[in-house]
Structures are given as C-alpha cells and as structure tokens.
C-alpha cells in the first residue's frame, strides 16, 4: 500500500489486521490522531480544511458518518474520539514512512508518531520540507518507492540495504535544504536550550529577566519575541512554549504561536507550507487555555501532551501557566539571523482573499477583551528549543 493523506491514513487501519497479501506499507503523510491533528488544534476547532474534508470522506455505496456533525458535537476527547484511536503498535509489516515539515496543522505530527509507534521490525522514516503531492511524484521519490517494494514484493536486490533508518531535510528557507542521514528520531545528540521571554524588550535569551508584561487585543492582536544567533545553529526536533497568561474580558483564551526566521537585513524568510505556499512559518502551535491540563504520564518538557477531557475556565484576574506544543521542525540559522516567536489571538497565517486551497484556520475562537502575557521574575515564560550539534562535535 502507498499513498498521500487519506491513502496514507487508510494504511493505519488495514495494516493491524495483517491481511496475508499485504507485504509492505508506504504511508506518505497521513495524520494518526483524529482529535489533535485533524479536528481540534490544542482544543481549538479547525474550521477551514476540516469541513471540506468531512464532505470529501462521506461518499460510499453504504452508510457513512456525518463527521462534521459528530466532531462539533464532541469538543472534548470522549468515547467518540477513543473509538477512532489506532492500534499502530499492532503493525508488523515493513514500513517506509514519509512526512513533511511543511504540513504544519495536518499530517506532520501524526506521520512521525505513526512511525515511532509502529511495531514493525523494519521501518524507515523520511522527513522532507517540500510540497507533499509534488514530492511524492518526484523521480527520486518514485525510485525509493520502487526500491522499497521491489525488495519486499519481488525479493530483488535494491538500494534498501544502504538506507539510513532516518533521513531528514534541514531547511534554511523555501527550496534550500540539506538532506542528512540519521540513526533515530528524535536525534539522540539533541541539547535542549531554554530561552526566557522578556515582554519589556520583546526578546528571548538565557537568564531571568525582570518581571514585565505584554498586552494585545484578544481577537486580532499579537506580541513577538526575538533571539539573534551569534553563531550558526541548527534546531531540529520538538519544542514547547510556556506562557503565564491572563484573559481580561473572558473566561478563556485561544493562543496561537508561530516560529519565524528573520534574515540579517530584517526580512522574513519563508518556508514551504501546507503543500501550496512558499512563505510559511518554521512551525506552529495552538492551545485553548481551558485545556491547559497536562497528561503527566505522556508529557515531557519539550513535548507537553494535553488530555483534552475537561475544561478549566479562567477566573477574573487569574494568571495561569500554559504549556504549548510546537509541532516538530528542522531549520538552520546563520550567525546574525533571528528566530522570532509570535503569540497571537488568531491565526497568524491566513489564506489569500478568495483562495480555495486547503488551509488550517480557526474562526470560532473564545477570545474577547485583552490577552496579558507575563514574563520574568516568578513568571518563567520561556521557549524550550532542540539544539542539534554537528555530528562528531563536542557536546
């Protein structure tokens, strides 16, 4: 089996059944967590691609689910969502799994997780940074698909024996990246670096800054934090943001975060995004503050996991810490280039006027009034970044 999106996701359902003729799998970008990746980003309903996709998957000669009606009727993880959980550990077939950094908000996160959880003794992971449909049909991609299937279906000599277990593209901008072989994911040599946010200066750095706060209009405002690199730096893996937040004028707040690259002349550097665009972010994250509870067993500092089983509204004047998962990414900075963190009350990237292309949007937020972000002192708002040293260098 091979294919992109739906044609990848269906493999997660068929493979655990272990039908005799199924020799090998090639899921090429398909989400594996229906709630967190397809329907509710950080507990916030996705309102653009989701309804369109729900229309697309209702066609059959038999009965079908009204997915949009069920999704909107189940805003928290309950038995409905648990009925869609996948038994990825039961997959035993050899698997060549391909994900893309560009698919922030749909397939990226779940494709990597599918590979990590699969019980296959022989499995490979490739993460590129290109447009997913175009990449699937590139001659190099077709050659790899052919080599993979020739090996397992026809027992022919191929290049498969020389494949690294993991292959990633380290991106610099749209169309500029270096492909590199690795042994595992996440990378074992990762050094996590914490940068404290400073609302007063709009920067992020080591140490503890004095206490300060930033305010922005909840519905359409934002705040930024910058860090300028003094040496070439690679960031590859999982990252998270911790924010101390207060909602003035609401009992909840929807938070949108993005990582951007800013060039040495102050210009935004664009990345391939969502299969069609070339001016996108490095990575994205989302969280509804009432969903801030963490799963203590599954969460890690660099990767908070929220159970999304209940809501905890904010009391007037209450300032609470929230931890936001940033979807995985790989990017290289040169000395003098800037990493920018944006925190906003609405989608940071939006479709061009009239564009009908699929795109992740969240138009039903709970935001009202003013968002307050506190930093410094006792308010340890910070970003945690996966810094990757060159192979063979001193750690």
């Amino acid at each position: 089996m091979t294919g992109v999106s739906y044609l990848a996701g269906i493999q997660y359902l068929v493979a655990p059944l272990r039908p005799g003729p199924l020799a090998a799998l090639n899921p090429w970008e398909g989400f594996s967590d229906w709630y967190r990746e397809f329907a509710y980003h950080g507990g916030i309903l996705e309102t653009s691609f989701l309804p369109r996709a729900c229309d697309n998957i209702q066609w059959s000669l038999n009965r079908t689910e009204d997915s949009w009606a069920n999704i909107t009727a189940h805003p928290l993880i309950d038995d409905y969502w648990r009925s869609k959980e996948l038994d990825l550990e039961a997959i035993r077939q050899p698997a060549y799994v391909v994900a893309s950094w560009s698919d922030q908000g749909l397939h990226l996160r779940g494709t990597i997780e599918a590979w990590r959880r699969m019980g296959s003794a022989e499995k490979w992971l490739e993460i590129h940074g290109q447009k997913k449909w175009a990449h699937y049909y590139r001659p190099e991609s077709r050659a790899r698909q052919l080599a993979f299937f020739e090996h397992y279906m026809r027992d022919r000599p191929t290049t498969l024996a020389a494949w690294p277990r993991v292959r990633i593209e380290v991106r610099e901008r749209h169309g500029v990246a270096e492909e590199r072989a690795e042994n595992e994911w996440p990378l074992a040599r990762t050094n996590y670096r914490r940068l404290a946010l400073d609302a007063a200066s709009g920067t992020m750095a080591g140490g503890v800054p004095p206490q300060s706060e930033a305010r922005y209009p909840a519905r359409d405002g934002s705040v930024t934090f910058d860090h300028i690199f003094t040496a070439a730096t690679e960031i590859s893996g999982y990252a998270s943001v911790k924010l101390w937040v207060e909602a003035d004028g609401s009992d909840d707040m929807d938070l949108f975060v993005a990582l951007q690259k800013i060039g040495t002349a102050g210009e935004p550097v664009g990345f391939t995004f969502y299969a069609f665009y070339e001016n996108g972010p490095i990575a994205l994250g989302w969280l509804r503050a009432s969903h801030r509870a963490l799963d203590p067993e599954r969460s890690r500092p660099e990767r908070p996991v929220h159970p999304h089983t209940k809501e905890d509204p904010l009391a007037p004047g209450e300032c609470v810490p929230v931890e936001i998962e940033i979807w995985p990414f790989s990017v290289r900075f040169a000395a003098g280039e800037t990493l920018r963190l944006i925190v906003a009350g609405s989608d940071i990237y939006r479709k061009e006027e009239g564009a009908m292309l699929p795109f992740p949007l969240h138009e039903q937020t709970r935001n009202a009034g003013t968002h307050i972000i506190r930093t410094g002192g006792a308010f340890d708002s910070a970003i945690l970044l996966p810094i990757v040293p060159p192979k063979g260098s001193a750690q």
Side-chain angles (χ1 to χ4, degrees), residues 5-6 9-10 12-13 30-41 44-46 50 53-54 57 65 67-68 71 74 77 80-87 105-106 109-110 117 327:
S5 189
Y6 184 98
I10 199 70
Y12 304 150
L13 295 171
F31 68 82
S32 58
D33 187 321
W34 283 76
Y35 182 91
R36 295 176 177 86
E37 297 154 7
F38 181 55
Y40 289 88
H41 293 142
I44 309 168
L45 178 68
E46 200 283 309
L50 177 62
C54 289
I57 62 176
E65 176 186 348
S67 297
W68 177 252
I71 286 169
H74 295 269
I77 292 181
Y80 169 73
W81 294 107
R82 285 186 278 272
S83 75
K84 295 184 179 297
E85 291 179 352
L86 301 169
D87 189 9
L106 187 58
R109 180 187 189 274
R117 290 176 51 195
W327 280 28

Side-chain angles (χ1 to χ4, degrees), residues 242-257:
K242 181 178 182 180
L243 300 173
W244 283 86
V245 298
E246 178 185 339
D248 182 4
S250 177
D251 66 354
D252 210 343
M253 56 196 304
D254 291 336
L255 296 162
F256 298 77
V257 302

Side-chain angles (χ1 to χ4, degrees), residues 230-244:
T230 58
T233 303
E234 178 187 330
I235 313 176
S236 296
Y238 299 96
S240 65
V241 175
K242 181 178 182 180
L243 300 173
W244 283 86

Side-chain angles (χ1 to χ4, degrees), residues 36 54 76 150 178 206 208 333 338 359 383 386 388:
R36 295 176 177 86
C54 289
L76 298 174
E150 291 265 289
E178 176 190 15
V208 180
F333 289 85
T338 297
F359 200 86
I383 187 169
V388 176

Side-chain angles (χ1 to χ4, degrees), residues 53-77:
C54 289
D55 286 342
N56 290 345
I57 62 176
Q58 70 176 347
W59 303 103
S60 173
L61 297 177
N62 299 295
R63 298 175 64 193
T64 62
E65 176 186 348
D66 187 341
S67 297
W68 177 252
N70 280 336
I71 286 169
T72 53
H74 295 269
L76 298 174
I77 292 181

Side-chain angles (χ1 to χ4, degrees), residues 117-131:
R117 290 176 51 195
M118 283 177 180
S120 308
E122 298 173 281
K123 59 182 181 179
W124 291 263
L125 175 66
E126 177 182 330
I127 317 175
H128 64 91
Q130 304 168 42
K131 299 175 182 179

Side-chain angles (χ1 to χ4, degrees), residues 1 49 142 237 311:
M1 301 181 75
F49 178 75
R142 302 290 283 177
E311 294 190 344

Side-chain angles (χ1 to χ4, degrees), residues 248-278:
D248 182 4
S250 177
D251 66 354
D252 210 343
M253 56 196 304
D254 291 336
L255 296 162
F256 298 77
V257 302
L259 297 183
Q260 291 181 338
K261 184 177 183 179
I262 307 298
T264 54
E267 78 285 5
V269 177
F271 291 83
T272 313
F273 180 48
Y274 220 71
F276 302 100
Y277 301 90
E278 300 173 359

